[in-house]
Amino acid sequence: MNEQIRFIKVRGAAMEVWEMGEGAPVVILTGMNSPIWEWHPVVQALSRNHRVILFHRPGLGKSEIGDHTRRTGAIAEELNELLPLLGIHEPIMLIGHSYGGLCAQHFARWYPSKIKALLLVDSTSVNLHRLDDLDLPVMDADNDAAWLETCLSYSEKTREELKVVIPLGWDSGLPTPLLEKLSDFQWNPLMYAAMHSEVTWWKEDAWIIKNGPRFPVIPLVVIARDKKSIIRQEDGLPEWEKRIFESLWEKLMYEQTRLTEGSRFIVAEGSGHAVHLNRPDVVVEAFHHLTKKVQENEGAGGSCPIH
């Protein structure tokens, strides 16, 4: 499998891009504080028959942060500009996880001719504001304001200072070369500056996406985490709060299937939010399902719903 890492200037800033495999293009948009390398199990599987592309958003990894405010619209524009620079002039299959899923929804609505299928993996919902309406005394302490305060504080520290306050903790099951790439990912002050901007704007961006252009008629699969698995975790949070939160989270995930007719909903049993790490097999199987539907559509000469 062909693999390369290169830096491509997009909107005036160098972007770190990882590619593997040959064939029809697949782009994966990662979540907040999520390095592209942790998608290795999924990338390795998909790249057997596809050209898989991931990139670190500005400020993450070795990508320059640039001068643009970090919002979903900026990421959609960057992806639109990146594709022809990679020699891609055909519609892509797009995978979006968490915040990357919100960005994927933005891209799909604003650039419908450039996407032929979408896989949302425990994606941030355009209705995420509804989570704020829950009365959860303990969990509410970890709200947007707390995130913003932490991100601002971390963005003003040096790498050495961040190493003191943030312990290294990555899945040791990943290959050693990838663990080396991950070693200082979370100690990058620019990432927290980018996250501060993303969190500042994500609810307004969600509203813009929800009220933007119509979602295209394309095959869609939505994967949700296993709420039972989350509730069982020993994390010090009240079980009753987790039950309420996870029930609404799953409902928001299911509502994403209404974006287009005939979409498919999957619960990744035993998985937390990081489905690509906990259950990469579910992601791969869902992708293969989408691939078959895309092939059926192309054979029929147009778009059709999936079942």
Side-chain angles (χ1 to χ4, degrees), residues 277-293:
L277 288 173
N278 302 148
R279 292 296 308 274
D281 58 309
V282 173
V283 178
V284 173
E285 183 180 354
F287 177 82
H288 289 327
H289 175 82
L290 275 180
T291 300
K292 290 178 183 178
K293 295 306 172 182

Side-chain angles (χ1 to χ4, degrees), residues 157-268:
K157 296 183 183 296
T158 65
R159 284 182 179 269
E160 295 305 314
E161 289 172 333
L162 288 175
K163 288 180 181 180
V164 176
V165 296
I166 305 175
L168 179 63
W170 295 107
D171 185 351
S172 58
L174 294 173
T176 300
L178 292 184
L179 288 176
E180 293 174 352
K181 292 180 185 297
L182 291 169
S183 61
D184 68 346
F185 177 86
Q186 59 197 346
W187 298 324
N188 176 10
L190 291 179
M191 178 178 70
Y192 298 102
M195 285 177 61
H196 186 276
S197 182
E198 291 172 348
V199 174
T200 296
W201 293 105
W202 68 343
K203 288 191 174 74
E204 181 173 322
D205 287 344
W207 186 92
I208 290 172
I209 295 167
K210 181 178 179 179
N211 294 279
R214 291 185 62 182
F215 193 85
V217 180
I218 55 174
L220 167 68
V221 173
V222 177
I223 300 176
R225 65 190 185 221
D226 185 351
K227 66 180 180 183
K228 293 180 292 185
S229 179
I230 299 290
I231 293 168
R232 286 195 301 265
Q233 290 178 2
E234 297 292 337
D235 51 17
L237 296 174
E239 182 177 316
W240 71 269
E241 288 195 13
K242 291 194 289 184
R243 287 186 181 279
I244 293 173
F245 184 91
E246 290 302 320
S247 292
L248 179 53
W249 180 271
E250 186 176 275
K251 184 177 182 180
L252 293 176
M253 296 305 99
Y254 182 77
E255 287 176 357
Q256 292 174 337
T257 63
R258 300 172 186 166
L259 287 169
T260 190
E261 182 183 353
S263 54
R264 186 178 184 185
F265 181 69
I266 300 170
V267 174

Side-chain angles (χ1 to χ4, degrees), residues 41-107:
V42 172
V43 172
Q44 197 168 43
L46 302 190
S47 63
R48 296 189 181 107
N49 298 296
H50 293 81
R51 179 185 177 189
V52 187
I53 300 146
L54 302 91
F55 59 89
H56 277 134
R57 296 192 298 278
L60 279 65
K62 295 182 180 178
S63 293
E64 296 175 346
I65 195 165
D67 300 324
H68 300 281
T69 303
R70 305 312 313 150
R71 301 185 64 164
T72 59
I75 296 160
E77 290 178 26
E78 286 154 0
L79 175 56
N80 182 56
E81 184 174 320
L82 175 64
L83 292 175
L85 296 176
L86 294 174
I88 297 172
H89 303 283
E90 61 185 283
I92 62 171
M93 296 187 70
L94 187 58
I95 301 173
H97 171 243
S98 191
Y99 179 73
L102 190 63
C103 299
Q105 293 177 63
H106 197 133
F107 182 85

